[in-house]
Amino acid sequence: MTDPNDDPEAAIDPDEDTDASTGLGSTDDQQSPDLDDVVLDNLDAGTGDASDEASRGLFDDLLEGEPIFENKEVLRPSYTPHKLPHREEQINNMATILVTALRGDTPSNILIYGKTGTGKTASAKFVSEELETTSQKYEVPCEVEYINCEVTDTQYRVLAQLANKFINKNVDVIDERIEKLEDLQARARDDTSELDESDYDSLSALEDAIDELEADKEEFEEVPMTGWPTDRVYSSFFDAVDYHERVVVIMLDEIDKLVEKSGDDTLYNLSRMNSELENSRVSIMGISNDLKFTDFLDPRVKSSLGEEEIVFPPYDANQLRDILQARADVAFKGNALTDDVIPLCAAFAAQEHGDARRALDLLRTAGELAERDQIDNVEEDHVRQAQEKIELDRVVEVVRTLPTQSKIVLFAIILLEKNGVHNINTGEVFNIYKNLCAEIDADVLTQRRVTDLISELDMLGIVNAVVVSKGRYGRTKEISLSVPTEETEAVLLSDSRLGDIDDVQPFVQARFDN
Ligand code: ADP
Ligand code: MG
């Protein structure tokens, strides 16, 4: 799936890197020496007097043989690029709104929309880093807090995380301040004229100030990750933010996930804070993959949050090429890429709603496949293989996480296809489905519900269901599998419940002809 927080590495066979580089680093003729051989070779060398050879460990050879990648990290989603081609307009818009914070005023709230992989997170992080750097340069108190609401997905957690961030910052500020005052105190004890330049007219005034800071520090209690009433968490956060003068920009990435899971209370509370804060100001930047998520918001929240809106349109193939080229220049060795590689990655990803994440995954995977083939160049065919691999990984993930009932329905369709039934109709699926449910003791849903589940599988791209007219017999759905049968079946059978199905053959015989 296009879950941006998924570690895409998880989709890649962890053995691949090892296999590939073991082969590459090896000097003998073996096609794919296994690790045992490598170790033995080195041990043999060690028995002679060539102690240099002996000290060459398992990894020395592997380290040298890296003909394709110069710096693979650059292609990973965790890497934040400092140049974002084709996002200049959006980045400038953000900056124009947020520069207000550097003047000490409250920036408008911003809502950013765009499909996954359109550079929203990367652009927002880039802008926030620039904003903080500039605020330090000019010593204006402006802070950005980034929260990924897919991970931090309840009001409690969002507020607790914010509270603790500000509490820690405040404690740091207080510690620094105390240290300065204690320094002054030490000097003033020797010579009271040291106080002349300060805000304190006596040693005891200075001591009071230090005590007061110590007391402030005591009051900041970390919020536990569960257990407090929400209003207590909120007031902790409120007090922590308002401790001193500053403008705070709170970035809520994947804000649609928060609203979907926990409603809009968090946004309501955050957006009305400014009327009560005395020293500080809060501005919210929400980032959403779902263009319609504001439909579910309280109208007050909607108008407050959407004071400014910035849209991130999908990239086209040419833009994706530029993005890939910039990253490839750093990621790959000089001539590792043949000419067609980047255009093909860009073309595939452009079909995938212009998703730059997909484009980068393709490029990295293609490189890894070339590495595994032990050749020095990434070729067009590696990109095609990478596309298949990523697509298959996606299917496996989608199928694996289907609810049991959908898995049974899908299994019924697979059984029919495997038995040579084409243009499967809903009745046939339902028949097999019922038998499968009986076999594993699952509840049997109505045919109506099963039809719905088939439509869902269609939307997920796992099956293709087209409505065909049967003349005076009305209309029916013709269903076919859009994913590889064997692999999909294997994923289904890895489910502990479906794995219990022993002999399915008899059920298929029950098919009625139409
Ligand atoms: P979104 O948050 O919209 O889903 P991201 O910002 O996470 O998308 O971008 C997905 C991937 O594509 C990231 O690895 C990001 O670095 C990269 N990317 C997106 N847009 C650009 C761009 N204009 N230039 C360079 N890299 C980009
Ligand atoms: Mg994102």
Side-chain angles (χ1 to χ4, degrees), residues 226-427:
T226 56
W228 282 11
T230 309
D231 53 357
R232 182 169 172 203
V233 184
Y234 175 80
S235 61
S236 273
F237 164 56
F238 186 97
D239 293 343
V241 177
D242 213 24
Y243 184 62
H244 63 80
E245 190 185 311
R246 62 184 144 199
V247 178
V248 169
V249 179
I250 298 174
M251 282 190 184
L252 298 170
D253 202 352
E254 314 271 334
I255 192 174
D256 43 325
K257 305 274 165 49
L258 174 68
V259 173
E260 195 181 299
K261 169 112 196 275
S262 321
D264 59 5
D265 290 353
T266 323
L267 303 179
Y268 179 74
N269 286 326
L270 291 178
S271 64
R272 69 184 184 122
M273 273 179 84
N274 281 338
S275 56
E276 285 159 31
L277 288 166
E278 282 178 13
N279 303 313
S280 61
R281 288 288 172 269
V282 164
S283 154
I284 306 168
M285 182 157 139
I287 304 177
S288 168
N289 291 322
D290 178 356
L291 308 176
K292 288 198 299 239
F293 103 101
T294 51
D295 294 356
F296 306 107
L297 296 179
D298 176 309
R300 285 168 297 180
V301 178
K302 184 174 171 170
S303 67
S304 155
L305 200 61
E307 284 172 334
E308 299 278 354
E309 298 192 336
I310 301 176
V311 176
F312 280 57
Y315 296 115
D316 65 26
N318 287 331
Q319 295 172 328
L320 289 170
R321 276 189 204 198
D322 293 340
I323 292 169
L324 288 175
Q325 191 63 56
R327 298 282 266 272
D329 289 345
V330 190
F332 289 97
K333 290 254 158 81
N335 296 318
L337 298 185
T338 54
D339 286 352
D340 296 331
V341 167
I342 285 182
L344 192 59
C345 290
F348 277 138
Q351 285 168 14
E352 199 72 31
H353 67 255
D355 183 345
R357 183 179 293 105
R358 166 61 80 96
L360 288 160
D361 278 353
L362 269 172
L363 188 59
R364 193 191 67 241
T365 309
E368 286 168 343
L369 290 170
E371 208 176 38
R372 199 176 64 178
D373 285 353
Q374 305 180 29
I375 57 172
D376 296 354
N377 294 104
V378 188
E379 287 159 8
E380 200 184 307
D381 196 47
H382 294 122
V383 180
R384 296 190 190 281
Q385 288 173 36
Q387 170 79 352
E388 268 173 35
K389 179 170 166 36
I390 290 172
E391 193 48 43
L392 186 60
D393 289 344
R394 186 193 76 89
V395 168
V396 166
E397 192 49 28
V398 173
V399 172
R400 200 179 59 76
T401 53
L402 285 175
T404 306
Q405 285 291 340
S406 302
K407 282 183 175 169
I408 303 174
V409 171
L410 178 59
F411 197 41
I413 297 170
I414 288 184
L415 289 178
L416 286 162
E417 286 231 344
K418 279 183 54 169
N419 281 274
V421 184
H422 299 296
N423 303 333
I424 304 161
N425 65 41
T426 316

Side-chain angles (χ1 to χ4, degrees), residues 68-83:
I68 295 205
F69 290 108
E70 184 77 52
N71 180 359
K72 205 198 292 187
E73 287 311 305
V74 172
L75 298 177
R76 293 190 198 280
S78 50
Y79 175 83
T80 306
H82 292 283
K83 279 223 172 71

